[in-house]
Amino acid sequence: MPTALVTGITGQDGSYLAELLLAKGYKVIGVARRSSTVTSERIMHLLDDITIVQGDLHDQGSLLSFLEEYNPDEVYNLAAQSFVPTSWNQPALTGDVTALGVTRLLEAIRFVNPKIKMYQASSSEMFGKVVEVPQTEATPFYPRSPYGVAKVYGHWITVNYRESFNIFAVSGILFNHESPRRGLEFVTRKISDGVAKIKLGLSKDLHLGNLEARRDWGFAGDYVQAMWLMMQQDHPDNYVVGTGETHSVREFCEIAFGYVGLDYKDHVVKDDRFFRPAEVDLLVSDPSKAHSQLGWKPSMKFPDLVKMMVDSDLAHYKGEKAITPRRVYG
Ligand code: NAP
Ligand code: GDD
């Protein structure tokens, strides 16, 4: 039974990846940081099947100790300060976790067992003010946020440890991927949640920022498969993962509100608070390499993703989905 260790297990991707790895017969070790409140909602249904260890990308000792204890075959580094606006409020913290945290994990692998494979969660946010359309593995980076800058560092340190120390370290440059488990602060979930509340009479308006921003949005459940496939290749490499389609925030609103018989123009309020100091206007992937080398293809089309998220939030507010918080560790 192979062992996989996942940082960021409590996040959106961590929960889908844990499900995938368990289905493939892995022993799964999830790294969660100490919190005064419950952060395990997304993995509640998996807690009997995975082992949770305490650790933090700030803390080199914690990384060394869990690698020594479990000596995993594969490490998936999904942990990050991942919300772009927060990265302007807390740029140093974002750099410490999202950039230097990658070095700490690679160093721990180098010291404990350089044969451990590592996946680094890189991001299309690195392309920022894009210099070519669509974006490939060869497209130069032009990050537009402290988060994007930190991810560029994380990407290059991953490549560097691959080249310097022969560590099997892969970088998955993933475009935006969403799901009913997406954090409420990200625009897709903010919209699906807002639509559900407005439809059920719990709210009237939805305050949003830039409706013209375009993203290449896919389903998170598909993207964790690409992560696993990258780790099964003969050689470590960099891969762009996306749908190859781009849609605006406005289109997301049109479909989401339209799906429940509402017009977004009656409810969406433009709010300066949600505009960013520097915007990423357009992202669209060229996922040809992932198609040809990994045999990976997305399964869900954009309108179906939007509708799935709205359905899930409607069910939540109708009380059809019970959330029973429980502590991860005592
Ligand atoms: P997410 O839902 O925000 O999850 C982030 C995870 O990182 C959470 O489990 C969080 O723990 C953990 N974390 C934050 N700071 C940490 C620290 N100092 N030490 C240990 N763990 C820490 O993000 P996601 O959407 O699943 O994304 C997973 C990864 O892929 C992230 O690195 C993200 O930047 C990257 N990425 C995401 C996308 C996307 O569209 N989703 C696209 C490209 C790249 P808590 O639960 O305790 O907060
Ligand atoms: N969050 C948010 N809230 N975004 C808004 C809003 C709003 O009210 N109104 C408009 N937007 C626009 C943002 O300006 C941005 O252009 C777009 O919606 C998407 O914002 P997010 O959903 O917050 O995602 P992101 O693209 O900034 O970052 C996500 O994708 C990256 C990959 O490209 C995150 O998951 C990152 O961690 C990830 O790396």
Side-chain angles (χ1 to χ4, degrees), residues 131-142:
V131 301
E132 67 177 356
V133 178
Q135 293 87 52
T136 73
E137 293 78 6
T139 302
F141 301 135
Y142 190 152

Side-chain angles (χ1 to χ4, degrees), residues 12 81-85 121-126 147 151 174-178 182 185-190 207-215 217 249 274-276 279-281 283:
Q12 171 190 256
Q81 191 303 95
S82 72
F83 190 46
V84 171
S122 294
S123 167
S124 53
E125 184 74 11
M126 302 190 301
Y147 168 82
K151 281 288 179 186
L174 271 50
F175 283 62
N176 298 49
H177 43 279
E178 318 294 315
R182 187 58 141 152
E185 67 274 40
F186 298 94
V187 76
T188 55
R189 183 76 197 289
K190 184 172 171 182
H207 288 240
L208 294 174
N210 180 11
L211 297 187
E212 311 314 328
R214 302 184 73 85
R215 290 291 183 275
W217 278 299
V249 175
F274 299 109
F275 283 77
R276 299 177 178 187
E279 179 61 288
V280 172
D281 296 315
L283 292 174

Side-chain angles (χ1 to χ4, degrees), residues 240-260:
V240 155
V241 176
T243 67
E245 282 183 25
T246 187
H247 298 276
S248 64
V249 175
R250 187 183 296 282
E251 283 173 75
F252 197 104
C253 289
E254 271 166 6
I255 296 176
F257 280 89
Y259 182 48
V260 298

Side-chain angles (χ1 to χ4, degrees), residues 7-15 31-35 39-40 42 55-59 77-83 93 97-98 119-125 147 151 172-178 181-183 185-186 217 220 223 227:
T7 72
I9 189 89
T10 54
Q12 171 190 256
D13 291 7
S15 68
V31 180
R33 55 185 176 158
R34 193 265 159 184
S35 163
T39 59
S40 53
R42 295 182 178 107
D56 195 304
L57 287 191
H58 288 291
D59 190 293
N77 184 34
L78 308 186
Q81 191 303 95
S82 72
F83 190 46
L93 177 137
V97 177
T98 305
Y119 171 86
Q120 167 57 16
S122 294
S123 167
S124 53
E125 184 74 11
Y147 168 82
K151 281 288 179 186
I173 306 172
L174 271 50
F175 283 62
N176 298 49
H177 43 279
E178 318 294 315
R181 298 182 198 170
R182 187 58 141 152
E185 67 274 40
F186 298 94
W217 278 299
Y223 286 50
M227 295 177 191

